[in-house]
Amino acid sequence: MKSTELMEAYKKYLMPTYSPSVVIAKAKGSRVYTPENTQYYDLTSGIGVHNVGHCTEGVVKAVQEQIAKLGHCSNLFANEPQVKLAKKLVEISGLGGKVFFCNSGAESNEAAIKLARKWGAQNGGRYEIVTMRNSFHGRTLATVTATGQSWCQKDYDPLMPGFAYADFNDLESVKAAITEKTVAIMLEAVQGEGGVTPATEEFMAGVRALCDEKNLLMICDEVQCGMGRTGKWWGWQNYSVKPDLFTAAKSLADGIPMGALISNAKCADVFGPSDHASTFGGNPLACAAALAVIKIIEEENLLDAADKKGKLLIAALKAFADKYDQILEVRGMGLMLGMVIDGDPKPVVEKFRDFNVLALTAGGNVVRFLPTLSMKESNLEQAVEMMAEALEELYDTAEA
Ligand SMILES: *Cc1c(COP(=O)(O)O)cnc(C)c1O
């Protein structure tokens, strides 16, 4: 189907929760293509999903082999890829706990919330979770309540009881939100949707100290900043402290829907038999894909690559900020970077698209970049050149 024809059918048959701008028919590495074969550099990675690249050989092969052998068997029966993946996730977390598998970021956070409530029920009848303003934790009723942004909560009253909000990077605000009912503090090491804002070391260490002092669980949402995105396996590993629980999804299985909740030893056996469940969670197909993703990150040294290419991209973005007054600030970590715009970031993203580069918005005034960690340096440099031309057209003509 041609793009125009497809878009017409899209509008007719899909609920209008999204308004896609481009039809993508195929992809390879860091590039995606329309049905008409127009090529774009994808600096979105399907919103932080393809950390190892689109249609990467190792993942394609693992998925093809696994689906032909055993695609699903339910959690009433055990399967090898699931056990291998859980072991690997426990190893690369260094938390010494256990894993619960599900199918998305929202579900992984939902699992964290339920685990915290169960633990709280056994530890003083506590249930309230403090989350951060400008956070993003998903779109189920519980996780949209956890999300500290009113635009995605509007019209869904009554929201889930048991959440309180604090300001990110403001320890006093977190202290003020804690009551005798508080059981956990939940945060992203680097806020993604909220505007690509890294936590400060002082804040992360302060939250950990508060959790220790008041017997609370520290929960990190690693759905966007995990799986090597920041140059470490997990965003929180850029700080001096460890959470009790953290969640992963987006890039975990390179596009096969998957989520996971990973615990330390203390929280490893809070969920007992039939306390929580998922039909698809941790099925052999998703687990085989995730094992392939982790292998590629290790073999191709993509943690260092994220760090190195992040430095390259941040330098380029800073040069844009130096050149144009409309670009206020550049921030982020590894290959999770944001360019703060004086105003609406959409025209910038649209202009980049006109020049065949795909980027994202975040937080109302940020252009967000989540390139594949495997993107060739020469391709990244070419994408930067294309963005430079786009900005020249957008800002120079606007000023003339
Ligand atoms: C995307 C995202 C989620 C939600 O994940 P879904 O798979 O869309 O449910 C949760 N937390 C963070 C930090 C995210 O970026």
Side-chain angles (χ1 to χ4, degrees), residues 13 17 34 71 78 81 114 117 242 247 263-264 283 292 298 304 313 317 319 330 348 351 374 379:
Y13 295 113
T17 53
T34 67
K114 284 182 74 177
R117 283 198 178 184
K242 293 177 176 183
T247 57
S263 82
N264 63 7
N283 86 7
E298 284 178 335
D304 288 344
L313 183 56
L317 300 178
V330 176
V348 181
K351 188 57 82 177
S374 54
N379 287 346

Side-chain angles (χ1 to χ4, degrees), residues 153-230:
Q153 301 174 337
K154 198 171 73 67
D155 295 337
Y156 296 124
D157 284 332
L159 293 172
M160 189 74 60
F163 290 91
Y165 307 103
D167 291 329
F168 190 58
N169 281 336
D170 180 346
L171 207 55
E172 289 309 313
S173 163
V174 177
K175 279 184 195 159
I178 294 172
T179 70
E180 72 278 5
K181 291 292 172 205
T182 307
V183 72
I185 302 173
M186 182 165 167
L187 74 168
E188 296 151 89
V190 185
Q191 287 192 331
E193 311 291 324
V196 196
T197 314
T200 61
E201 165 60 29
E202 190 192 1
F203 187 65
M204 286 290 270
V207 166
R208 180 69 264 177
L210 264 179
C211 288
D212 293 341
E213 182 194 322
K214 302 200 181 276
N215 195 24
L216 314 174
L217 300 179
M218 180 172 175
I219 305 170
C220 282
D221 179 344
E222 290 282 329
V223 171
Q224 192 160 148
C225 62
M227 291 298 286
R229 180 54 55 195
T230 66

Side-chain angles (χ1 to χ4, degrees), residues 221-288:
D221 179 344
E222 290 282 329
V223 171
Q224 192 160 148
C225 62
M227 291 298 286
R229 180 54 55 195
T230 66
K232 306 263 191 213
W233 276 112
W234 312 108
W236 58 261
Q237 289 175 331
N238 292 287
Y239 301 85
S240 64
V241 296
K242 293 177 176 183
D244 298 288
L245 297 163
F246 72 95
T247 57
K250 285 197 166 82
S251 59
L252 187 52
D254 197 48
I256 304 292
M258 176 169 229
L261 170 65
I262 297 123
S263 82
N264 63 7
K266 171 171 139 178
C267 296
D269 295 306
V270 175
F271 279 150
S274 73
D275 278 346
H276 195 39
S278 166
T279 296
F280 290 128
N283 86 7
L285 182 67
C287 292

Side-chain angles (χ1 to χ4, degrees), residues 109 113 129-133 135-138 140-149 153 160 163-165 186:
N109 288 326
I113 292 164
I129 299 175
V130 177
T131 67
M132 304 303 138
R133 295 198 179 86
S135 60
F136 187 86
H137 300 300
T140 63
L141 202 46
T143 58
V144 89
T145 309
T147 294
Q149 304 194 58
Q153 301 174 337
M160 189 74 60
F163 290 91
Y165 307 103
M186 182 165 167

